[in-house]
Amino acid sequence: MKIIIDSEPSSIEIDSARTALIIIDMQRDFLEPGGFGEALGNDVSRLAGAIVPCRKVLEAARAHRMLVIHTREGHRPDLSDAPRAKIERGTPAVRIGASGPMGRILVRGEPGHDIIPELYPISGEPVIDKPGKGAFYQTDLALLLQNHAVESLIICGVTTEVCVNTTVREANDRGFRCIVLADCCGSYFPEFHEAGLAMIKAQGGIFGWVANSQDFLLAFSVSERAAVA
Ligand code: TIU
């Protein structure tokens, strides 16, 4: 279905059959106390506002049979895929691989590494485990999108200026239209959230478009009404 999303810097038409919803790193390690986000000294409650809008967008995408892809940042238990420069940041007790209340921090298979229950993947939804910030780096995401003939990406998740921005930049260079849903993203730093979104939509949408969850949901209902009329 063709839908038109009221976005900045301009509205954008996409074909939902050739669009994937990508939910970036909505993991307990970033959103719940005791995980990686808190280990880095952040107030994790700042990300909570993105959960309900993300859930609504996820339900709409499922209802319209859009491809839904989840990502998780994390490493192998032996940390062989984690660069030393990444591990050696911060105090040893709260580093990647250290044991915390949700298991070993940012390690695959640990409770903290998994996606929060509110947005948990259902059968058939691919989960991309990524070792870096960008969802394309050292993953098979590009192959998966190519095989599904995807042209456009609806992007949600955390954090706005880190993994969301890195993924949008990677996707833009690979030719995907990126529509970032502002209220479905979050940052530990409100000013970085705003700046991260501003950078995407500046210069005529240098990296992509920015909209809200409501704009995305409305786009479907407008198209459906037009189809019935
Ligand atoms: N620390 C922080 O803001 N984010 C990350 O390290 N990863 C993601 O953004 N997912």
Side-chain angles (χ1 to χ4, degrees), residues 63-103:
H64 291 92
R65 303 192 170 281
M66 267 174 59
L67 175 64
V68 175
I69 299 176
H70 306 259
T71 74
R72 299 185 295 201
E73 182 179 351
H75 297 283
R76 293 168 181 259
D78 65 3
L79 305 185
S80 56
D81 60 348
R84 280 185 62 180
K86 187 176 182 185
I87 300 172
E88 288 174 357
R89 276 187 308 131
T91 19
V94 288
R95 280 181 183 167
I96 293 169
S99 292
M102 294 193 287

PDB file of all heavy atoms in Angstrom, residues 63-103:
ATOM      1  N   ALA A  63       0.021  -5.344  11.782  1.00  0.00           N
ATOM      2  CA  ALA A  63      -1.329  -5.408  11.190  1.00  0.00           C
ATOM      3  C   ALA A  63      -1.281  -5.226   9.678  1.00  0.00           C
ATOM      4  O   ALA A  63      -2.092  -5.806   8.952  1.00  0.00           O
ATOM      5  CB  ALA A  63      -2.216  -4.336  11.828  1.00  0.00           C
ATOM      6  N   HIS A  64      -0.329  -4.436   9.194  1.00  0.00           N
ATOM      7  CA  HIS A  64      -0.213  -4.188   7.749  1.00  0.00           C
ATOM      8  C   HIS A  64       0.824  -5.087   7.090  1.00  0.00           C
ATOM      9  O   HIS A  64       1.241  -4.849   5.974  1.00  0.00           O
ATOM     10  CB  HIS A  64       0.089  -2.707   7.493  1.00  0.00           C
ATOM     11  CG  HIS A  64      -1.071  -1.824   7.818  1.00  0.00           C
ATOM     12  ND1 HIS A  64      -1.244  -1.243   9.056  1.00  0.00           N
ATOM     13  CD2 HIS A  64      -2.152  -1.465   7.088  1.00  0.00           C
ATOM     14  CE1 HIS A  64      -2.371  -0.552   9.057  1.00  0.00           C
ATOM     15  NE2 HIS A  64      -2.940  -0.674   7.885  1.00  0.00           N
ATOM     16  N   ARG A  65       1.240  -6.095   7.813  1.00  0.00           N
ATOM     17  CA  ARG A  65       2.159  -7.116   7.290  1.00  0.00           C
ATOM     18  C   ARG A  65       3.464  -6.533   6.753  1.00  0.00           C
ATOM     19  O   ARG A  65       4.028  -7.009   5.769  1.00  0.00           O
ATOM     20  CB  ARG A  65       1.483  -7.977   6.214  1.00  0.00           C
ATOM     21  CG  ARG A  65       0.226  -8.643   6.726  1.00  0.00           C
ATOM     22  CD  ARG A  65      -0.313  -9.714   5.794  1.00  0.00           C
ATOM     23  NE  ARG A  65      -1.361 -10.483   6.427  1.00  0.00           N
ATOM     24  CZ  ARG A  65      -1.143 -11.467   7.310  1.00  0.00           C
ATOM     25  NH1 ARG A  65       0.072 -11.808   7.626  1.00  0.00           N
ATOM     26  NH2 ARG A  65      -2.144 -12.114   7.857  1.00  0.00           N
ATOM     27  N   MET A  66       3.924  -5.474   7.395  1.00  0.00           N
ATOM     28  CA  MET A  66       5.229  -4.927   7.040  1.00  0.00           C
ATOM     29  C   MET A  66       6.320  -5.815   7.635  1.00  0.00           C
ATOM     30  O   MET A  66       6.112  -6.451   8.667  1.00  0.00           O
ATOM     31  CB  MET A  66       5.393  -3.509   7.635  1.00  0.00           C
ATOM     32  CG  MET A  66       4.974  -2.405   6.695  1.00  0.00           C
ATOM     33  SD  MET A  66       5.046  -0.798   7.535  1.00  0.00           S
ATOM     34  CE  MET A  66       6.758  -0.725   8.018  1.00  0.00           C
ATOM     35  N   LEU A  67       7.463  -5.819   6.984  1.00  0.00           N
ATOM     36  CA  LEU A  67       8.609  -6.523   7.551  1.00  0.00           C
ATOM     37  C   LEU A  67       9.057  -5.785   8.815  1.00  0.00           C
ATOM     38  O   LEU A  67       9.249  -4.569   8.787  1.00  0.00           O
ATOM     39  CB  LEU A  67       9.745  -6.540   6.519  1.00  0.00           C
ATOM     40  CG  LEU A  67      11.074  -7.124   6.963  1.00  0.00           C
ATOM     41  CD1 LEU A  67      10.945  -8.618   7.291  1.00  0.00           C
ATOM     42  CD2 LEU A  67      12.134  -6.928   5.880  1.00  0.00           C
ATOM     43  N   VAL A  68       9.179  -6.520   9.910  1.00  0.00           N
ATOM     44  CA  VAL A  68       9.631  -5.924  11.178  1.00  0.00           C
ATOM     45  C   VAL A  68      10.968  -6.566  11.548  1.00  0.00           C
ATOM     46  O   VAL A  68      11.075  -7.800  11.599  1.00  0.00           O
ATOM     47  CB  VAL A  68       8.609  -6.171  12.312  1.00  0.00           C
ATOM     48  CG1 VAL A  68       9.156  -5.655  13.640  1.00  0.00           C
ATOM     49  CG2 VAL A  68       7.266  -5.518  11.992  1.00  0.00           C
ATOM     50  N   ILE A  69      11.963  -5.735  11.786  1.00  0.00           N
ATOM     51  CA  ILE A  69      13.294  -6.235  12.152  1.00  0.00           C
ATOM     52  C   ILE A  69      13.708  -5.591  13.477  1.00  0.00           C
ATOM     53  O   ILE A  69      13.554  -4.384  13.663  1.00  0.00           O
ATOM     54  CB  ILE A  69      14.328  -5.899  11.053  1.00  0.00           C
ATOM     55  CG1 ILE A  69      13.930  -6.577   9.732  1.00  0.00           C
ATOM     56  CG2 ILE A  69      15.735  -6.315  11.473  1.00  0.00           C
ATOM     57  CD1 ILE A  69      14.825  -6.240   8.557  1.00  0.00           C
ATOM     58  N   HIS A  70      14.199  -6.416  14.380  1.00  0.00           N
ATOM     59  CA  HIS A  70      14.690  -5.926  15.675  1.00  0.00           C
ATOM     60  C   HIS A  70      16.209  -6.036  15.673  1.00  0.00           C
ATOM     61  O   HIS A  70      16.750  -6.987  15.111  1.00  0.00           O
ATOM     62  CB  HIS A  70      14.139  -6.778  16.821  1.00  0.00           C
ATOM     63  CG  HIS A  70      12.644  -6.903  16.828  1.00  0.00           C
ATOM     64  ND1 HIS A  70      11.835  -6.168  17.666  1.00  0.00           N
ATOM     65  CD2 HIS A  70      11.793  -7.676  16.085  1.00  0.00           C
ATOM     66  CE1 HIS A  70      10.561  -6.491  17.451  1.00  0.00           C
ATOM     67  NE2 HIS A  70      10.515  -7.406  16.500  1.00  0.00           N
ATOM     68  N   THR A  71      16.873  -5.100  16.343  1.00  0.00           N
ATOM     69  CA  THR A  71      18.322  -5.246  16.511  1.00  0.00           C
ATOM     70  C   THR A  71      18.675  -5.271  17.993  1.00  0.00           C
ATOM     71  O   THR A  71      17.924  -4.759  18.831  1.00  0.00           O
ATOM     72  CB  THR A  71      19.128  -4.114  15.827  1.00  0.00           C
ATOM     73  OG1 THR A  71      19.004  -2.910  16.595  1.00  0.00           O
ATOM     74  CG2 THR A  71      18.673  -3.864  14.399  1.00  0.00           C
ATOM     75  N   ARG A  72      19.809  -5.880  18.274  1.00  0.00           N
ATOM     76  CA  ARG A  72      20.351  -5.888  19.644  1.00  0.00           C
ATOM     77  C   ARG A  72      21.856  -5.643  19.541  1.00  0.00           C
ATOM     78  O   ARG A  72      22.534  -6.299  18.725  1.00  0.00           O
ATOM     79  CB  ARG A  72      20.148  -7.261  20.312  1.00  0.00           C
ATOM     80  CG  ARG A  72      18.711  -7.691  20.455  1.00  0.00           C
ATOM     81  CD  ARG A  72      18.557  -8.987  21.237  1.00  0.00           C
ATOM     82  NE  ARG A  72      19.152 -10.140  20.569  1.00  0.00           N
ATOM     83  CZ  ARG A  72      18.818 -11.397  20.819  1.00  0.00           C
ATOM     84  NH1 ARG A  72      17.917 -11.684  21.746  1.00  0.00           N
ATOM     85  NH2 ARG A  72      19.413 -12.397  20.183  1.00  0.00           N
ATOM     86  N   GLU A  73      22.353  -4.759  20.371  1.00  0.00           N
ATOM     87  CA  GLU A  73      23.800  -4.573  20.450  1.00  0.00           C
ATOM     88  C   GLU A  73      24.345  -5.524  21.511  1.00  0.00           C
ATOM     89  O   GLU A  73      23.774  -5.617  22.603  1.00  0.00           O
ATOM     90  CB  GLU A  73      24.136  -3.121  20.823  1.00  0.00           C
ATOM     91  CG  GLU A  73      25.640  -2.854  20.881  1.00  0.00           C
ATOM     92  CD  GLU A  73      26.007  -1.412  21.224  1.00  0.00           C
ATOM     93  OE1 GLU A  73      25.113  -0.555  21.254  1.00  0.00           O
ATOM     94  OE2 GLU A  73      27.195  -1.164  21.460  1.00  0.00           O
ATOM     95  N   GLY A  74      25.434  -6.216  21.182  1.00  0.00           N
ATOM     96  CA  GLY A  74      26.010  -7.108  22.183  1.00  0.00           C
ATOM     97  C   GLY A  74      27.116  -7.960  21.604  1.00  0.00           C
ATOM     98  O   GLY A  74      27.404  -7.904  20.405  1.00  0.00           O
ATOM     99  N   HIS A  75      27.699  -8.746  22.488  1.00  0.00           N
ATOM    100  CA  HIS A  75      28.910  -9.485  22.108  1.00  0.00           C
ATOM    101  C   HIS A  75      28.839 -10.949  22.502  1.00  0.00           C
ATOM    102  O   HIS A  75      28.045 -11.356  23.351  1.00  0.00           O
ATOM    103  CB  HIS A  75      30.122  -8.798  22.735  1.00  0.00           C
ATOM    104  CG  HIS A  75      30.293  -7.411  22.209  1.00  0.00           C
ATOM    105  ND1 HIS A  75      30.825  -7.152  20.967  1.00  0.00           N
ATOM    106  CD2 HIS A  75      29.911  -6.216  22.712  1.00  0.00           C
ATOM    107  CE1 HIS A  75      30.791  -5.846  20.745  1.00  0.00           C
ATOM    108  NE2 HIS A  75      30.230  -5.252  21.785  1.00  0.00           N
ATOM    109  N   ARG A  76      29.724 -11.726  21.872  1.00  0.00           N
ATOM    110  CA  ARG A  76      29.857 -13.145  22.217  1.00  0.00           C
ATOM    111  C   ARG A  76      30.352 -13.257  23.657  1.00  0.00           C
ATOM    112  O   ARG A  76      31.077 -12.368  24.125  1.00  0.00           O
ATOM    113  CB  ARG A  76      30.901 -13.792  21.306  1.00  0.00           C
ATOM    114  CG  ARG A  76      30.500 -13.866  19.850  1.00  0.00           C
ATOM    115  CD  ARG A  76      31.725 -14.246  19.023  1.00  0.00           C
ATOM    116  NE  ARG A  76      31.397 -14.320  17.610  1.00  0.00           N
ATOM    117  CZ  ARG A  76      31.178 -15.469  16.972  1.00  0.00           C
ATOM    118  NH1 ARG A  76      31.282 -16.619  17.597  1.00  0.00           N
ATOM    119  NH2 ARG A  76      30.859 -15.459  15.698  1.00  0.00           N
ATOM    120  N   PRO A  77      30.003 -14.362  24.338  1.00  0.00           N
ATOM    121  CA  PRO A  77      30.419 -14.508  25.746  1.00  0.00           C
ATOM    122  C   PRO A  77      31.938 -14.400  25.948  1.00  0.00           C
ATOM    123  O   PRO A  77      32.393 -13.924  26.984  1.00  0.00           O
ATOM    124  CB  PRO A  77      29.901 -15.899  26.125  1.00  0.00           C
ATOM    125  CG  PRO A  77      28.731 -16.108  25.208  1.00  0.00           C
ATOM    126  CD  PRO A  77      29.080 -15.423  23.914  1.00  0.00           C
ATOM    127  N   ASP A  78      32.734 -14.812  24.942  1.00  0.00           N
ATOM    128  CA  ASP A  78      34.196 -14.704  25.112  1.00  0.00           C
ATOM    129  C   ASP A  78      34.712 -13.323  24.693  1.00  0.00           C
ATOM    130  O   ASP A  78      35.921 -13.073  24.736  1.00  0.00           O
ATOM    131  CB  ASP A  78      34.922 -15.823  24.350  1.00  0.00           C
ATOM    132  CG  ASP A  78      34.755 -15.719  22.833  1.00  0.00           C
ATOM    133  OD1 ASP A  78      34.125 -14.743  22.354  1.00  0.00           O
ATOM    134  OD2 ASP A  78      35.264 -16.607  22.117  1.00  0.00           O
ATOM    135  N   LEU A  79      33.812 -12.443  24.299  1.00  0.00           N
ATOM    136  CA  LEU A  79      34.114 -11.056  23.914  1.00  0.00           C
ATOM    137  C   LEU A  79      35.083 -10.957  22.729  1.00  0.00           C
ATOM    138  O   LEU A  79      35.697  -9.907  22.507  1.00  0.00           O
ATOM    139  CB  LEU A  79      34.654 -10.233  25.100  1.00  0.00           C
ATOM    140  CG  LEU A  79      33.785 -10.180  26.366  1.00  0.00           C
ATOM    141  CD1 LEU A  79      34.401  -9.214  27.389  1.00  0.00           C
ATOM    142  CD2 LEU A  79      32.359  -9.753  26.053  1.00  0.00           C
ATOM    143  N   SER A  80      35.199 -12.050  21.960  1.00  0.00           N
ATOM    144  CA  SER A  80      36.159 -12.040  20.848  1.00  0.00           C
ATOM    145  C   SER A  80      35.731 -11.088  19.725  1.00  0.00           C
ATOM    146  O   SER A  80      36.540 -10.737  18.869  1.00  0.00           O
ATOM    147  CB  SER A  80      36.358 -13.458  20.310  1.00  0.00           C
ATOM    148  OG  SER A  80      35.113 -14.016  19.941  1.00  0.00           O
ATOM    149  N   ASP A  81      34.469 -10.677  19.733  1.00  0.00           N
ATOM    150  CA  ASP A  81      34.002  -9.724  18.706  1.00  0.00           C
ATOM    151  C   ASP A  81      33.903  -8.299  19.262  1.00  0.00           C
ATOM    152  O   ASP A  81      33.337  -7.420  18.614  1.00  0.00           O
ATOM    153  CB  ASP A  81      32.649 -10.177  18.141  1.00  0.00           C
ATOM    154  CG  ASP A  81      31.573 -10.267  19.214  1.00  0.00           C
ATOM    155  OD1 ASP A  81      31.916 -10.202  20.422  1.00  0.00           O
ATOM    156  OD2 ASP A  81      30.390 -10.406  18.852  1.00  0.00           O
ATOM    157  N   ALA A  82      34.444  -8.081  20.437  1.00  0.00           N
ATOM    158  CA  ALA A  82      34.383  -6.737  21.043  1.00  0.00           C
ATOM    159  C   ALA A  82      35.769  -6.101  21.002  1.00  0.00           C
ATOM    160  O   ALA A  82      36.721  -6.664  21.568  1.00  0.00           O
ATOM    161  CB  ALA A  82      33.887  -6.828  22.479  1.00  0.00           C
ATOM    162  N   PRO A  83      35.907  -4.965  20.331  1.00  0.00           N
ATOM    163  CA  PRO A  83      37.224  -4.331  20.284  1.00  0.00           C
ATOM    164  C   PRO A  83      37.698  -3.932  21.683  1.00  0.00           C
ATOM    165  O   PRO A  83      36.887  -3.535  22.529  1.00  0.00           O
ATOM    166  CB  PRO A  83      37.006  -3.080  19.439  1.00  0.00           C
ATOM    167  CG  PRO A  83      35.625  -3.151  18.906  1.00  0.00           C
ATOM    168  CD  PRO A  83      34.867  -4.197  19.652  1.00  0.00           C
ATOM    169  N   ARG A  84      38.999  -4.033  21.896  1.00  0.00           N
ATOM    170  CA  ARG A  84      39.538  -3.668  23.215  1.00  0.00           C
ATOM    171  C   ARG A  84      39.177  -2.238  23.591  1.00  0.00           C
ATOM    172  O   ARG A  84      38.882  -1.946  24.750  1.00  0.00           O
ATOM    173  CB  ARG A  84      41.060  -3.850  23.237  1.00  0.00           C
ATOM    174  CG  ARG A  84      41.452  -5.298  23.435  1.00  0.00           C
ATOM    175  CD  ARG A  84      42.945  -5.463  23.578  1.00  0.00           C
ATOM    176  NE  ARG A  84      43.482  -4.761  24.739  1.00  0.00           N
ATOM    177  CZ  ARG A  84      44.763  -4.748  25.076  1.00  0.00           C
ATOM    178  NH1 ARG A  84      45.636  -5.385  24.326  1.00  0.00           N
ATOM    179  NH2 ARG A  84      45.168  -4.101  26.143  1.00  0.00           N
ATOM    180  N   ALA A  85      39.210  -1.367  22.603  1.00  0.00           N
ATOM    181  CA  ALA A  85      38.907   0.046  22.881  1.00  0.00           C
ATOM    182  C   ALA A  85      37.497   0.210  23.433  1.00  0.00           C
ATOM    183  O   ALA A  85      37.220   1.142  24.194  1.00  0.00           O
ATOM    184  CB  ALA A  85      39.066   0.868  21.605  1.00  0.00           C
ATOM    185  N   LYS A  86      36.583  -0.691  23.024  1.00  0.00           N
ATOM    186  CA  LYS A  86      35.201  -0.619  23.514  1.00  0.00           C
ATOM    187  C   LYS A  86      35.103  -1.208  24.925  1.00  0.00           C
ATOM    188  O   LYS A  86      34.411  -0.654  25.784  1.00  0.00           O
ATOM    189  CB  LYS A  86      34.273  -1.364  22.544  1.00  0.00           C
ATOM    190  CG  LYS A  86      32.798  -1.221  22.837  1.00  0.00           C
ATOM    191  CD  LYS A  86      31.936  -1.906  21.769  1.00  0.00           C
ATOM    192  CE  LYS A  86      30.459  -1.712  22.038  1.00  0.00           C
ATOM    193  NZ  LYS A  86      29.602  -2.466  21.102  1.00  0.00           N
ATOM    194  N   ILE A  87      35.815  -2.315  25.154  1.00  0.00           N
ATOM    195  CA  ILE A  87      35.747  -2.984  26.463  1.00  0.00           C
ATOM    196  C   ILE A  87      36.426  -2.156  27.548  1.00  0.00           C
ATOM    197  O   ILE A  87      35.931  -2.067  28.673  1.00  0.00           O
ATOM    198  CB  ILE A  87      36.437  -4.373  26.408  1.00  0.00           C
ATOM    199  CG1 ILE A  87      35.755  -5.272  25.371  1.00  0.00           C
ATOM    200  CG2 ILE A  87      36.425  -5.045  27.781  1.00  0.00           C
ATOM    201  CD1 ILE A  87      36.493  -6.576  25.120  1.00  0.00           C
ATOM    202  N   GLU A  88      37.523  -1.554  27.212  1.00  0.00           N
ATOM    203  CA  GLU A  88      38.380  -0.942  28.242  1.00  0.00           C
ATOM    204  C   GLU A  88      37.903   0.430  28.714  1.00  0.00           C
ATOM    205  O   GLU A  88      38.539   1.034  29.576  1.00  0.00           O
ATOM    206  CB  GLU A  88      39.826  -0.869  27.731  1.00  0.00           C
ATOM    207  CG  GLU A  88      40.459  -2.254  27.689  1.00  0.00           C
ATOM    208  CD  GLU A  88      41.841  -2.278  27.050  1.00  0.00           C
ATOM    209  OE1 GLU A  88      42.286  -1.212  26.571  1.00  0.00           O
ATOM    210  OE2 GLU A  88      42.439  -3.362  27.012  1.00  0.00           O
ATOM    211  N   ARG A  89      36.775   0.884  28.157  1.00  0.00           N
ATOM    212  CA  ARG A  89      36.222   2.147  28.651  1.00  0.00           C
ATOM    213  C   ARG A  89      35.629   1.929  30.036  1.00  0.00           C
ATOM    214  O   ARG A  89      35.054   0.882  30.308  1.00  0.00           O
ATOM    215  CB  ARG A  89      35.093   2.625  27.721  1.00  0.00           C
ATOM    216  CG  ARG A  89      35.579   3.373  26.526  1.00  0.00           C
ATOM    217  CD  ARG A  89      34.414   3.959  25.749  1.00  0.00           C
ATOM    218  NE  ARG A  89      33.385   2.987  25.434  1.00  0.00           N
ATOM    219  CZ  ARG A  89      32.083   3.187  25.654  1.00  0.00           C
ATOM    220  NH1 ARG A  89      31.665   4.298  26.198  1.00  0.00           N
ATOM    221  NH2 ARG A  89      31.210   2.276  25.316  1.00  0.00           N
ATOM    222  N   GLY A  90      35.725   2.903  30.889  1.00  0.00           N
ATOM    223  CA  GLY A  90      34.997   2.886  32.166  1.00  0.00           C
ATOM    224  C   GLY A  90      35.625   1.999  33.232  1.00  0.00           C
ATOM    225  O   GLY A  90      36.667   1.381  33.021  1.00  0.00           O
ATOM    226  N   THR A  91      34.949   1.948  34.366  1.00  0.00           N
ATOM    227  CA  THR A  91      35.464   1.182  35.514  1.00  0.00           C
ATOM    228  C   THR A  91      35.294  -0.320  35.262  1.00  0.00           C
ATOM    229  O   THR A  91      34.254  -0.741  34.760  1.00  0.00           O
ATOM    230  CB  THR A  91      34.682   1.538  36.804  1.00  0.00           C
ATOM    231  OG1 THR A  91      33.447   2.135  36.435  1.00  0.00           O
ATOM    232  CG2 THR A  91      35.434   2.444  37.704  1.00  0.00           C
ATOM    233  N   PRO A  92      36.311  -1.128  35.616  1.00  0.00           N
ATOM    234  CA  PRO A  92      36.250  -2.566  35.339  1.00  0.00           C
ATOM    235  C   PRO A  92      34.991  -3.251  35.859  1.00  0.00           C
ATOM    236  O   PRO A  92      34.455  -4.146  35.207  1.00  0.00           O
ATOM    237  CB  PRO A  92      37.508  -3.112  36.027  1.00  0.00           C
ATOM    238  CG  PRO A  92      38.450  -1.951  36.069  1.00  0.00           C
ATOM    239  CD  PRO A  92      37.595  -0.718  36.199  1.00  0.00           C
ATOM    240  N   ALA A  93      34.472  -2.831  37.001  1.00  0.00           N
ATOM    241  CA  ALA A  93      33.317  -3.525  37.598  1.00  0.00           C
ATOM    242  C   ALA A  93      32.054  -3.394  36.759  1.00  0.00           C
ATOM    243  O   ALA A  93      31.135  -4.207  36.887  1.00  0.00           O
ATOM    244  CB  ALA A  93      33.070  -2.974  38.997  1.00  0.00           C
ATOM    245  N   VAL A  94      31.990  -2.371  35.904  1.00  0.00           N
ATOM    246  CA  VAL A  94      30.760  -2.165  35.123  1.00  0.00           C
ATOM    247  C   VAL A  94      31.024  -2.132  33.614  1.00  0.00           C
ATOM    248  O   VAL A  94      30.266  -1.565  32.847  1.00  0.00           O
ATOM    249  CB  VAL A  94      30.031  -0.872  35.575  1.00  0.00           C
ATOM    250  CG1 VAL A  94      29.397  -1.053  36.935  1.00  0.00           C
ATOM    251  CG2 VAL A  94      30.952   0.327  35.577  1.00  0.00           C
ATOM    252  N   ARG A  95      32.090  -2.809  33.208  1.00  0.00           N
ATOM    253  CA  ARG A  95      32.417  -2.862  31.785  1.00  0.00           C
ATOM    254  C   ARG A  95      31.582  -3.901  31.045  1.00  0.00           C
ATOM    255  O   ARG A  95      31.000  -4.794  31.670  1.00  0.00           O
ATOM    256  CB  ARG A  95      33.877  -3.284  31.613  1.00  0.00           C
ATOM    257  CG  ARG A  95      34.807  -2.163  31.814  1.00  0.00           C
ATOM    258  CD  ARG A  95      36.220  -2.663  31.605  1.00  0.00           C
ATOM    259  NE  ARG A  95      37.109  -1.552  31.874  1.00  0.00           N
ATOM    260  CZ  ARG A  95      38.406  -1.658  32.029  1.00  0.00           C
ATOM    261  NH1 ARG A  95      38.977  -2.832  31.934  1.00  0.00           N
ATOM    262  NH2 ARG A  95      39.126  -0.594  32.250  1.00  0.00           N
ATOM    263  N   ILE A  96      31.653  -3.860  29.712  1.00  0.00           N
ATOM    264  CA  ILE A  96      31.078  -4.922  28.885  1.00  0.00           C
ATOM    265  C   ILE A  96      31.682  -6.246  29.354  1.00  0.00           C
ATOM    266  O   ILE A  96      32.899  -6.349  29.523  1.00  0.00           O
ATOM    267  CB  ILE A  96      31.400  -4.679  27.389  1.00  0.00           C
ATOM    268  CG1 ILE A  96      30.680  -3.422  26.899  1.00  0.00           C
ATOM    269  CG2 ILE A  96      31.032  -5.893  26.535  1.00  0.00           C
ATOM    270  CD1 ILE A  96      31.125  -2.930  25.531  1.00  0.00           C
ATOM    271  N   GLY A  97      30.826  -7.226  29.613  1.00  0.00           N
ATOM    272  CA  GLY A  97      31.292  -8.540  30.064  1.00  0.00           C
ATOM    273  C   GLY A  97      31.265  -8.705  31.571  1.00  0.00           C
ATOM    274  O   GLY A  97      31.280  -9.834  32.070  1.00  0.00           O
ATOM    275  N   ALA A  98      31.223  -7.592  32.311  1.00  0.00           N
ATOM    276  CA  ALA A  98      31.169  -7.687  33.781  1.00  0.00           C
ATOM    277  C   ALA A  98      29.779  -8.177  34.203  1.00  0.00           C
ATOM    278  O   ALA A  98      28.795  -7.986  33.484  1.00  0.00           O
ATOM    279  CB  ALA A  98      31.457  -6.323  34.404  1.00  0.00           C
ATOM    280  N   SER A  99      29.716  -8.819  35.386  1.00  0.00           N
ATOM    281  CA  SER A  99      28.428  -9.335  35.867  1.00  0.00           C
ATOM    282  C   SER A  99      27.644  -8.241  36.579  1.00  0.00           C
ATOM    283  O   SER A  99      28.194  -7.510  37.402  1.00  0.00           O
ATOM    284  CB  SER A  99      28.658 -10.494  36.830  1.00  0.00           C
ATOM    285  OG  SER A  99      29.171 -11.581  36.111  1.00  0.00           O
ATOM    286  N   GLY A 100      26.377  -8.142  36.228  1.00  0.00           N
ATOM    287  CA  GLY A 100      25.481  -7.172  36.851  1.00  0.00           C
ATOM    288  C   GLY A 100      24.191  -7.848  37.238  1.00  0.00           C
ATOM    289  O   GLY A 100      24.059  -9.076  37.088  1.00  0.00           O
ATOM    290  N   PRO A 101      23.205  -7.079  37.699  1.00  0.00           N
ATOM    291  CA  PRO A 101      21.934  -7.668  38.137  1.00  0.00           C
ATOM    292  C   PRO A 101      21.158  -8.356  37.010  1.00  0.00           C
ATOM    293  O   PRO A 101      20.319  -9.213  37.283  1.00  0.00           O
ATOM    294  CB  PRO A 101      21.147  -6.465  38.682  1.00  0.00           C
ATOM    295  CG  PRO A 101      21.949  -5.252  38.400  1.00  0.00           C
ATOM    296  CD  PRO A 101      23.320  -5.649  37.965  1.00  0.00           C
ATOM    297  N   MET A 102      21.453  -8.004  35.745  1.00  0.00           N
ATOM    298  CA  MET A 102      20.758  -8.664  34.625  1.00  0.00           C
ATOM    299  C   MET A 102      21.709  -9.560  33.851  1.00  0.00           C
ATOM    300  O   MET A 102      21.552  -9.773  32.653  1.00  0.00           O
ATOM    301  CB  MET A 102      20.140  -7.609  33.702  1.00  0.00           C
ATOM    302  CG  MET A 102      19.026  -6.832  34.378  1.00  0.00           C
ATOM    303  SD  MET A 102      18.064  -5.868  33.224  1.00  0.00           S
ATOM    304  CE  MET A 102      19.199  -4.559  32.827  1.00  0.00           C
ATOM    305  N   GLY A 103      22.723 -10.065  34.535  1.00  0.00           N
ATOM    306  CA  GLY A 103      23.706 -10.934  33.883  1.00  0.00           C
ATOM    307  C   GLY A 103      24.891 -10.135  33.394  1.00  0.00           C
ATOM    308  O   GLY A 103      25.075  -8.979  33.770  1.00  0.00           O
TER     309      GLY A 103
END
